[in-house]
Structure formats: structure tokens, C-alpha cells
Amino acid sequence: SLGIDVLVGYGLTETCGQVVASSFSTESSHPLFTLANVDLKRTETGSLMIATNTLAHGYLSDTGLLPILNNDGYFLTNDLVQLDPFQYVGRLDFQFQNGSKLVSPELVEKILMASELIDHIIVIPKIHDRYGSVPVAYLKNLSNLDQLKDFAVQHLPTYLQPVEYKQLPESLSFSSVNLRKDLIDFNSPA
């Protein structure tokens, strides 16, 4: 109503900040645009590759500088994206195999959050004898669990439906930057 266009930015530590922007509204006519001297490519797996003059030279380690660019001068982010309009989909390294299907936990989280029955969720894989891994959902509270399960059945294919819904352990927090890794570690045998 104020006539202010809101843009969503995307950037990485390795690029020293923002590299692309797109419209926040799906009704807007603003397409994806990249900042000056930024080139984007999408791999066959959907992962984003970036070339820009603001890209880091590498990661510092005890043995020196570890290069981060491929032979063509691109940095492989492992972020799964859609281009035009730009949309972050998830992380390639968070995906897991459920039978013959690939599960993107962020997709399950996004769909279940759309139920408006929950305010926090994180999905991790659980080892399964028959399917390899199955999704397990951790929630801040379990108060709307029956309705959430019904929503999942209506909106997710069977292989994406969490087989278990658990309350987030008190020792962990949804504000943790590495919550997915923390939960996987929490559930791993010692």
C-alpha cells in the first residue's frame, strides 16, 4: 500500500555478502537480478555455482589456503536453488535417500509450516532397515500433533511424511545455527 518494493537477497560468507536479489512478492514484475560481476550457474543436481570478483580465495587451514574454486573459476555452494525467480530450496548435503526417493528436509519443513499449526520444525533422517533413511520431525511442542499428521497425509507424498514427530530436546534450541547437525549428533549412538 506504500508502493515500496521489497527484495530478497542471497549471499554467502564466501562471496563477502549479497550476490543476487529478487522480488519478495510473487505478484511483482521484478525478476531475479545479480549484482555487478556475478555469474550464476545451476548444476544438473540443482546446486548453485557462483563466479564473482568478491569470492574468497579459499579456506584457511593449518596447512595453508584450501582452494574453493573449480577449474572453471566457480564456487559450488551446495545450495539448491531455482532461478528466475530466485528461490532457495535447500542444501544438497542435507538430502537423504528414502528407498529410491531423495528427501529434501527443507521441503518437508516448508510444507508442514504452511499448515500454520506449528511455529518451528526441523526434519532429519533416521536410519531404517528397509528404506535406508526416513524423515523424523522435531517440533517445539506437540500440541497440534494429530492435526499436523492429518495435514502431512493430505499434502505430502508418503516418502516425505515424517514417520515420527518428537519434541525438541531441552538441551537443544531452534535458535542454534547448526541445529540439524546437533540433532543428528544427539540421535547417533555414542
Side-chain angles (χ1 to χ4, degrees), residues 6-170:
V6 177
L7 300 177
V8 177
Y10 169 87
L12 304 124
T13 301
E14 292 87 353
T15 61
C16 302
Q18 183 177 350
V19 292
V20 300
S22 64
S23 174
F24 182 74
S25 169
T26 57
E27 298 171 7
S28 175
S29 60
H30 292 298
L32 161 78
F33 66 90
T34 59
L35 300 183
N37 301 313
V38 174
D39 187 31
L40 306 177
K41 288 185 180 180
R42 195 167 171 260
T43 66
E44 290 178 10
T45 61
S47 188
L48 182 66
M49 294 192 316
I50 298 176
T52 177
N53 58 3
T54 62
L55 205 53
H57 293 279
Y59 296 122
L60 190 58
S61 76
D62 293 340
T63 59
L65 197 62
L66 302 173
I68 62 172
L69 304 180
N70 67 12
N71 292 337
D72 297 325
Y74 284 83
F75 172 64
L76 179 62
T77 66
N78 279 332
D79 286 340
L80 300 170
V81 298
Q82 298 288 331
L83 297 176
D84 201 20
F86 185 86
Q87 182 180 6
Y88 173 82
V89 177
R91 291 276 307 166
L92 185 64
D93 49 352
F94 289 165
Q95 292 183 328
F96 59 91
Q97 202 76 29
N98 180 347
S100 64
K101 306 286 188 178
L102 200 56
V103 174
S104 176
E106 294 95 340
L107 175 62
V108 177
E109 294 161 3
K110 180 179 178 179
I111 291 171
L112 293 180
M113 284 294 292
S115 73
E116 298 185 1
L117 295 166
I118 53 175
D119 56 2
H120 293 87
I121 184 171
I122 192 151
V123 174
I124 64 167
K126 177 182 178 181
I127 302 299
H128 189 274
D129 290 339
R130 183 173 177 193
Y131 297 111
S133 295
V134 292
V136 173
Y138 280 85
L139 308 169
K140 189 173 186 178
N141 66 63
L142 303 174
S143 60
N144 295 317
L145 188 55
D146 289 336
Q147 294 138 305
L148 185 63
K149 286 180 179 180
D150 290 342
F151 185 89
V153 168
Q154 293 170 18
H155 293 88
L156 290 169
T158 306
Y159 76 95
L160 291 179
Q161 294 172 23
V163 298
E164 293 179 46
Y165 294 82
K166 298 181 175 186
Q167 187 155 356
L168 187 72
E170 288 184 21

